[in-house]
Amino acid sequence: MRRVVCPGSFDPITNGHLDIIGRSARLYDEVTVAVLINVEKSSLFTVDERIDMLQTVTKEYPNVKVEKFHGLLVDFCRHNDIPAIVKGIRVVSDFDYELQMAQLNYRLSGVETLFMPTNPEYSFLSSSRVKEIARYGGDVSGLVPDLVHTLLVERLRS
Ligand code: PNS
């Protein structure tokens, strides 16, 4: 069984994340989407809300499951017998940051990191930008799954 993890905050999931998850699901037998529980960072959606959204929008991939984790990602990998992490790379600055993280994670545990170039259609996309645009009434349809779009607009209206 070839397993991989796609980790992140997913606050909320964007079409860029979904593209990386879907492509990973075609390469691996099992993909675990791991949502970080980060008590230090305020978020728009709770971890459980994010998990619900992720489960719904990845329904078409039977080999994708969604979990939450706290602490070190490599500990989550060890506990779940996952030997590799997939990270999407949008721009060169992502690579600078992710390379250090990948090397540290390897040093800590031997867990490998594989970089997947983001679909150019989404190379400008991030959850924070989506939230900022939506907060000021901009149109984020096409940047996030339809369900997320609806929930985002509802949440920011309340
Ligand atoms: O979507 P994000 O916020 O960019 O995801 C970052 C994430 C969750 C992948 C990263 O912060 C992470 O792995 N955090 C867990 C703590 C950890 O293992 N840190 C790495 C030390 S080298």
Side-chain angles (χ1 to χ4, degrees), residues 16 35 37 88 157:
V35 182
I37 303 169
R157 203 188 289 140

Side-chain angles (χ1 to χ4, degrees), residues 96-115:
D96 275 350
Y97 174 78
E98 294 294 348
L99 179 63
Q100 289 182 344
M101 187 107 88
Q103 288 168 331
L104 269 166
N105 281 335
Y106 184 79
R107 171 74 186 259
L108 284 171
S109 64
V111 171
E112 298 282 3
T113 299
L114 302 161
F115 295 132

Side-chain angles (χ1 to χ4, degrees), residues 5 15 21 35-36 50 60 63 73 83 100 133 154:
V5 64
N15 283 343
I21 294 167
V35 182
L36 176 68
R50 284 179 257 159
E60 69 180 282
N63 58 336
L73 177 59
Q100 289 182 344
I133 295 166
E154 265 175 26

Side-chain angles (χ1 to χ4, degrees), residues 119-134:
N119 182 329
E121 225 182 301
Y122 304 125
S123 57
F124 50 82
L125 196 51
S126 69
S127 300
S128 349
R129 283 184 196 139
V130 162
K131 283 183 284 193
E132 187 176 357
I133 295 166

Side-chain angles (χ1 to χ4, degrees), residues 6-11 17 34-38 41 50 69-76 85-87 90 97-98 100-106 108 127:
C6 289
S9 303
F10 303 105
D11 185 40
H17 293 129
V35 182
L36 176 68
I37 303 169
N38 188 349
K41 206 168 142 188
R50 284 179 257 159
F69 78 103
H70 59 86
L72 293 179
L73 177 59
V74 291
D75 288 337
F76 176 83
I85 301 164
V86 166
K87 288 288 186 79
R90 294 165 297 189
Y97 174 78
E98 294 294 348
Q100 289 182 344
M101 187 107 88
Q103 288 168 331
L104 269 166
N105 281 335
Y106 184 79
L108 284 171
S127 300

